Amino acid sequence: MATSVRQFICLTDNYGVLFHDSATGATASIDAPEAAPILAAAKEQGWRLTDVLLTHHHADHIQGVPRLKESFPELRVCGPAKEASQIPFLDVLVGEGDYVSVGSLRAKVVETPGHTLGHVAYHFDEEEIAFCGDTIFSLGCGRAFEAPYEVLWNSLMKLAAFPGETQLYCGHEYTEANARFALTVEPQNPVLKARVEEVAKLRAEKRPTLPTTVAAELATNPFLRAEEPSVQATVGLLGADPAAVFAELRSRKDRF
């Protein structure tokens, strides 16, 4: 296999991720929540950092970059062009349809606004991996801080259109909390109930619940299931526009 992924906790519940191309030795940090754990993971693996792929401008995703650059002066930092004014150390500005490379590995940039206006995801199609930042989480999605709910819904639909086997790497370990809300929406969903049991066991063992897959989220994540009659009925919007159903779900989760 030409790729290796190393995932680890940064800060409190952020995930640091290293994505390594064994063919060339190139290694990318996906976001940079905290430099020390990223540098420690790279050292443990014997990998040299060559790239950082930033998904959005929030401090808990970019604040480690300056120290990483100190350790690896040739480090190339890619991030959303639409947030360049908020991320001062970008070397490569990217947007919808652009491609970025990590060694011989190639990702398509997908704009996923909602959580922030310029948020992007990186889809490595051949490797069946997508790095999604804070747009989607297992059993949940990000808050719509900088755009209307409908904008975030459209972004989630972009991610949901990836092949079902695509592994989704997300920015935080929020699955257990998300599960509690998901059960209020679809308490009789057997796939969801099984996932909740799995999550509880993983977290009891202090193991990650990520990555997830597109197929798993389509079956269990209420925010991707706004077209389902059972979900619509729960929020009193049977037959409504799925974007409106999503908006009601996200509003309820904001208050949950």
Side-chain angles (χ1 to χ4, degrees), residues 191-213:
V191 185
L192 172 60
K193 289 195 285 187
R195 172 64 169 155
V196 171
E197 290 181 7
E198 176 192 30
V199 167
K201 182 179 179 182
L202 287 170
R203 296 311 296 153
E205 298 170 354
K206 301 190 184 305
R207 294 167 60 195
T209 63
L210 297 169
T212 182
T213 66

Side-chain angles (χ1 to χ4, degrees), residues 148-150 153 223 226 237 241-255:
Y149 290 134
E150 185 176 0
W153 164 252
F223 297 105
L237 291 171
D241 182 342
V245 176
F246 169 79
E248 177 61 22
L249 285 167
R250 185 60 259 185
S251 178
R252 290 186 181 202
K253 180 63 164 63
D254 291 344
R255 304 187 303 270

Side-chain angles (χ1 to χ4, degrees), residues 161-184:
F162 292 165
E165 63 274 13
T166 304
Q167 295 184 76
L168 303 177
Y169 284 85
C170 314
H172 294 267
E173 181 55 72
Y174 286 164
T175 314
E176 203 163 25
N178 289 338
R180 291 192 287 273
F181 177 76
L183 282 172
T184 70

